[in-house]
């Protein structure tokens, strides 16, 4: 065990009961993966319906991320993409919710063209990604495209609300909506979740935090994160928009005109790093429209912003853009046990990592939770049940909630 600060101990459970805070994509994926193992799971959320906030878009894109050269991020996203696509087959109730129309990622700028060229020289399976010319992209999309593109034939989009409903359709899952978690208390080997009236709204052996924004719980407050406000926009179109066959991704993105009974496209998304504002912003709609004009001028010429509001939410991300997936570590114990990592004493034996008993998290997915949350939920369920993990050690450590603490301790000897 040469990295004890990333070591996870085995767990022991008596009743296999769990509470999941957050009824978005991540929360539903975690609940489903535990429920199929026989756990009784309660999903709680402060909203009266789901999904809201970061998971509340009219459409969510499922697509891998390919980098110019092999990378940990590419490996992570490819595994996640393949897993969630298979999930639609493994859970029949989910099958109708995937729109596998393919995704075209346009190479509109010089850096995109360089990446496209390098990827074209790599030997990827054609069913994962193909490098296509502008003419080929035009045929695939069925509209004029003026740039080469990466084409992901198995990719597509889903409607998050019905997708979450399908995931939650399990006899071991129950809901407590309109229930806001304010504080967490561990006693008698169980986690109590209290509301603002100091009433217990959930009680279970395991507690998994999947709320996108809420890092205010004391065990999570010191984890580095960054809010990103984003807005998507519903737009109508004319004849050209009706012909669009694929999702097109560039500086923004646009879906086929299939939203709300084939009335709208969804375009987006604005990106306001560091902002925690949840207010709808009309100027963000205009910015989203301008992104379409720069790469898809013919299609953009007939797009009109719908009278219905799009969706504005705050997504939480991390400094390295990977989510937090794992047991929640104890800050004070990490500072005590690993304070001298900066001295590089490789021969020293350090104690195993210290965690809050029964407390886990799957959070900070940014804008990619639709693709990544499923395999991350499987990873967490395996961890909770002492099963072999689906990711290799490098990725498991890259998702570890204490990874930034360890980096800081190696640099300075303290976390703050």
């Amino acid at each position: 065990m040469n990295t004890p600060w990333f070591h996870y101990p085995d767990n022991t459970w008596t009743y296999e009961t769990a509470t999941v805070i957050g009824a978005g994509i991540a929360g539903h994926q975690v609940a489903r993966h535990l429920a199929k193992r026989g756990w009784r799971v309660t999903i709680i959320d402060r909203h009266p319906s789901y999904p809201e906030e970061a998971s509340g878009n009219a459409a969510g894109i499922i697509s891998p991320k390919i980098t110019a050269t092999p990378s940990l991020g590419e490996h992570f996203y490819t595994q996640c993409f393949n897993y969630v696509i298979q999930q639609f087959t493994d859970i029949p109730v989910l099958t109708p919710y995937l729109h596998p129309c393919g995704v075209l990622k346009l190479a509109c700028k010089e850096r995109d063209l360089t990446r496209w060229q390098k990827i074209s020289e790599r030997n990827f399976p054609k069913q994962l990604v193909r490098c296509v010319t502008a003419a080929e992209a035009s045929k695939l999309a069925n509209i004029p495209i003026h740039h080469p593109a990466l084409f992901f034939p198995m990719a597509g989009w889903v409607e998050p609300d019905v997708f979450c409903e399908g995931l939650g359709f399990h006899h071991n899952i129950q809901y407590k909506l309109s229930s806001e978690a304010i504080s967490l208390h561990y006693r008698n080997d169980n986690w109590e979740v209290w509301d603002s009236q100091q009433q217990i709204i959930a009680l279970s052996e395991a507690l998994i935090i999947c709320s996108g924004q809420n890092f205010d719980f004391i065990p999570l407050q010191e984890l580095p994160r960054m809010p990103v406000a984003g807005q998507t926009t519903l737009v109508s179109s004319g004849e050209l928009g009706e012909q669009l066959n694929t999702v097109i991704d560039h500086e923004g993105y646009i879906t086929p005109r299939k939203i709300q009974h084939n009335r709208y496209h969804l375009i987006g998304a604005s990106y306001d790093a560091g902002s925690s504002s949840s207010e709808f912003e009309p100027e963000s709609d205009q910015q989203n429209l301008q992104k379409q004009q720069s790469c898809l001028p013919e299609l953009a010429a007939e797009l009109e912003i719908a009278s219905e509001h799009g969706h504005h939410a705050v997504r939480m991300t991390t400094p390295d853009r990977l989510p937090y997936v794992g047991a929640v570590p104890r800050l004070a114990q990490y500072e005590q046990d690993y304070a001298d990592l900066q001295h590089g004493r490789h021969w020293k034996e350090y104690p195993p990592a210290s965690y809050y008993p029964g407390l886990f998290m799957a959070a900070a997915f940014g804008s990619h939770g639709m693709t990544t949350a499923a395999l991350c939920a499987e990873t967490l369920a395996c961890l909770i049940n002492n099963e072999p993990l689906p990711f290799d050690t490098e990725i498991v450590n890259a998702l570890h909630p204490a990874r930034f603490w360890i980096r800081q301790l190696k640099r300075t000897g303290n976390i703050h």
Side-chain angles (χ1 to χ4, degrees), residues 4 30 34-35 99 137 206 210 221 363 384 389:
V30 168
L34 287 175
H99 303 272
C210 299
Q221 286 179 347
I384 290 171
L389 303 183

Side-chain angles (χ1 to χ4, degrees), residues 73 143 155 159 224 364:
I143 66 168
E159 297 165 80

Side-chain angles (χ1 to χ4, degrees), residues 12-13 26 32 86 93 111 114 151 159 186 202 211 220 223 240 346 373:
T12 302
W13 312 106
R32 181 76 186 208
Q86 183 62 41
V93 70
R111 68 171 185 270
T114 301
F151 180 56
E159 297 165 80
Y186 186 74
S211 53
L220 274 60
L223 295 178
L240 198 60
H346 303 297

Side-chain angles (χ1 to χ4, degrees), residues 11 13 17 19 186 189 191 204-208 327-328 355-360 384:
N11 300 294
W13 312 106
T17 57
T19 300
Y186 186 74
D189 299 325
W191 282 98
S204 60
E205 281 185 288
L207 175 61
I208 304 98
V328 177
Y355 303 92
Y356 290 90
L359 184 60
F360 303 87
I384 290 171

Side-chain angles (χ1 to χ4, degrees), residues 70-358:
S71 65
L72 182 143
E74 177 184 276
H75 187 40
F76 169 69
Y77 278 98
T78 300
Q79 284 187 266
C80 288
F81 172 73
N82 290 332
Y83 182 88
V84 71
I85 291 298
Q86 183 62 41
Q87 186 180 43
F88 286 95
T89 299
D90 294 341
I91 305 178
V93 70
L94 298 181
T95 304
Y97 302 146
L98 175 65
H99 303 272
C101 59
V103 172
L104 281 166
K105 185 168 182 59
L106 305 187
C108 297
K109 296 188 175 181
E110 189 63 36
R111 68 171 185 270
D112 301 325
L113 288 168
T114 301
R115 185 166 68 99
W116 182 90
Q117 182 61 44
K118 289 183 177 180
I119 291 172
S120 71
E121 296 167 359
R122 299 175 63 191
N123 189 27
F124 282 103
K126 298 298 184 183
Q127 66 270 25
L128 176 65
V129 61
R130 300 191 341 240
C131 291
V132 297
T133 64
E136 291 170 327
S138 298
K139 290 181 180 180
L140 290 165
N142 203 32
I143 66 168
I145 302 290
H146 305 285
H147 308 278
L150 301 176
F151 180 56
F152 303 100
M154 296 191 301
W157 63 280
V158 299
E159 297 165 80
D161 54 351
V162 293
F163 182 60
C164 284
E165 184 177 353
L167 287 171
F169 186 71
H170 194 285
H171 64 276
N172 282 335
I173 297 176
Q174 65 175 349
Y175 293 89
K176 284 189 177 179
L177 303 178
S178 300
S179 300
E180 185 170 10
I182 298 298
S183 60
L184 314 176
H185 305 271
Y186 186 74
R187 59 184 80 182
N188 300 323
D189 299 325
N190 281 277
W191 282 98
E192 299 173 357
V193 181
W194 290 16
D195 63 13
S196 60
Q197 304 301 313
Q198 297 189 2
Q199 299 294 313
I200 297 175
I201 56 176
L203 177 70
S204 60
E205 281 185 288
L207 175 61
I208 304 98
I209 300 173
C210 299
S211 53
Q213 282 196 63
N214 198 340
F215 277 61
D216 293 334
F217 302 121
I218 290 176
L220 274 60
Q221 286 179 347
E222 296 294 333
L223 295 178
R225 72 277 190 188
M226 179 179 70
V228 178
Q231 187 166 305
T232 56
T233 306
L234 293 170
V235 295
S236 58
S237 67
E239 182 178 351
L240 198 60
E242 188 176 4
Q243 297 173 7
L244 178 61
N245 286 337
T246 67
V247 173
I248 300 181
D249 185 13
H250 44 90
E251 291 299 302
Y253 65 82
I254 183 168
T255 68
R257 198 173 77 186
K258 301 292 184 182
I259 309 297
Q260 294 186 12
H261 307 291
N262 301 333
R263 296 168 63 199
Y264 301 120
H265 307 267
L266 188 72
I267 65 173
S270 63
Y271 186 90
D272 190 359
S275 172
S276 297
S277 171
S278 58
E279 296 297 320
F280 184 82
E281 299 173 348
E283 59 271 22
S284 292
D285 281 345
Q286 294 299 327
Q287 292 170 7
N288 288 337
L289 198 56
Q290 289 169 4
K291 290 177 183 178
Q292 304 303 318
Q293 293 165 350
S294 63
C295 287
L296 300 169
E298 291 90 349
L299 177 59
E302 64 176 42
L303 298 181
E304 294 185 4
I305 296 172
S307 57
E308 290 86 348
H309 275 189
H311 179 70
H312 188 102
V314 177
R315 293 161 178 79
M316 200 65 67
T317 188
T318 65
D320 60 12
R321 302 300 188 267
L322 294 174
Y324 289 125
V325 181
V328 177
R330 294 181 182 270
L331 172 66
Q333 199 63 46
Y334 263 72
E335 287 187 308
Q336 177 178 321
D337 291 342
Y338 308 126
D340 62 351
L341 285 179
Q342 63 172 325
H343 300 303
R345 294 169 178 163
H346 303 297
W347 64 89
K348 181 176 179 177
E349 291 190 13
Y350 291 94
S354 178
Y355 303 92
Y356 290 90

